[in-house]
Amino acid sequence: MYQAVTPGVMHEITPLTPGDCFTISSRIKKDFDFPLHYHSEYELTLILNAKGAKRIVGGSIGVVDDIELVFIGPNLYHSWFNHQRKPGDIQEVTIQFHKDLFGEGFLKRNQLSMLKSMFNNAQRGILFSQETAVGVLDSIVNLKQKTQFEAVLALLSILHSLSVAPNIKLLSEPGFASEKFAYKSRRVEKVFEFLYDNFEKPIALAEAAKIANMPTVSFSRFFKKRTGKSFIDTINEIRLGHASRMLVDTNYTIALIAYKCGFNNISNFNRAFKRKKQCVPREFRETYTSGKVFI
């Protein structure tokens, strides 16, 4: 069941009941026919035989390969579209579970740190490698045959395998999601809180270093080591995430969105946006409002 909330984006009411640990649906279909949507549950989606289709997850637009395995966090916009997919049957397996199925008291244990990290990253959408997808394919497909407690154990085993998988790709920018992200360093968390609160303003490296209580040069190295990105790249990623969300959720002009997201002129905004997403803001907005996907 779907409810229209944002133009072109639907709120899905999933079949998951409060008494369920998770639900799983397995479908053979000719086309992708679900609208762009979101829901409050976690979702693990396996798609076979849909090469050439396009995927939207948050602020990300991508091309589907022979096998697609994506983990999506609560309230993150997502859907798949036919685009250049060749005719044929698509196999789709979708697992949905409550965001409190594995509570904070459970996930904070040392042995589950990788699982907690994966759930945190799912707020941006995670695309797993072809090798990882192939490795868990049978377990996912056969999960529907498990019963009661065995099914829960099997799901936990699948999630554990995915949490330690290499070569994952985070799909959407952190600024697109409304949820806060957790980091292993309190200093990094404080800096990100500052960036989220001030992304629309000019931000100097020295300001962030002061938040972290570190010398500027030391902070620059520390930040890149902990996040994998430079400070400037991180700011731009947050700004583009917020801009993507505004393009979807508001009728603001592109120039106003650029200004509200900290870009000093629309030309810089367009260049940064296209460099990140391979399309300009106008095309990105059309993707959400018309179902057309530009790459």
Side-chain angles (χ1 to χ4, degrees), residues 30-43:
K30 298 293 184 183
D31 296 291
F32 290 108
D33 52 7
F34 278 27
L36 191 65
H37 63 283
Y38 68 96
H39 42 71
S40 60
E41 295 80 17
Y42 284 98
E43 176 178 303

Side-chain angles (χ1 to χ4, degrees), residues 136-198:
V136 298
L137 192 155
D138 288 343
S139 297
I140 291 175
V141 171
N142 295 329
L143 183 60
K144 200 173 181 67
Q145 311 307 319
K146 304 287 185 180
T147 58
Q148 302 299 320
F149 189 63
E150 287 184 350
V152 177
L153 290 179
L155 174 62
L156 187 56
S157 178
I158 291 168
L159 293 174
H160 170 260
S161 295
L162 296 179
S163 73
V164 297
N167 304 319
I168 67 169
K169 180 180 180 181
L170 300 185
L171 294 172
S172 190
E173 302 88 355
F176 190 94
S178 57
E179 285 81 2
K180 294 293 183 182
F181 293 86
Y183 298 89
K184 292 182 179 180
S185 166
R186 180 54 189 154
R187 283 182 174 180
V188 172
E189 286 188 354
K190 287 174 67 177
V191 170
F192 268 91
E193 288 170 4
F194 172 73
L195 296 182
Y196 279 119
D197 290 340
N198 297 278

Side-chain angles (χ1 to χ4, degrees), residues 101-120:
L101 177 61
F102 306 108
E104 184 65 25
F106 179 67
L107 292 175
K108 72 179 182 181
R109 309 303 177 188
N110 293 334
Q111 294 85 351
L112 298 169
S113 61
M114 298 301 290
L115 201 62
K116 181 178 181 179
S117 178
M118 182 177 71
F119 286 170
N120 185 53

Side-chain angles (χ1 to χ4, degrees), residues 31-89:
D31 296 291
F32 290 108
D33 52 7
F34 278 27
L36 191 65
H37 63 283
Y38 68 96
H39 42 71
S40 60
E41 295 80 17
Y42 284 98
E43 176 178 303
L44 182 65
T45 295
L46 172 70
I47 298 174
L48 305 174
N49 195 35
K51 187 173 184 177
K54 297 287 178 67
R55 152 199 357 100
I56 298 177
V57 175
S60 165
I61 301 170
V63 182
V64 172
D65 212 324
D66 294 312
I67 177 171
E68 168 106 335
L69 182 62
V70 177
F71 188 37
I72 296 166
N75 302 315
L76 185 61
Y77 296 173
H78 61 281
S79 196
W80 284 262
F81 299 90
N82 290 312
H83 191 59
Q84 296 178 349
R85 187 186 66 81
K86 294 180 180 179
D89 288 340

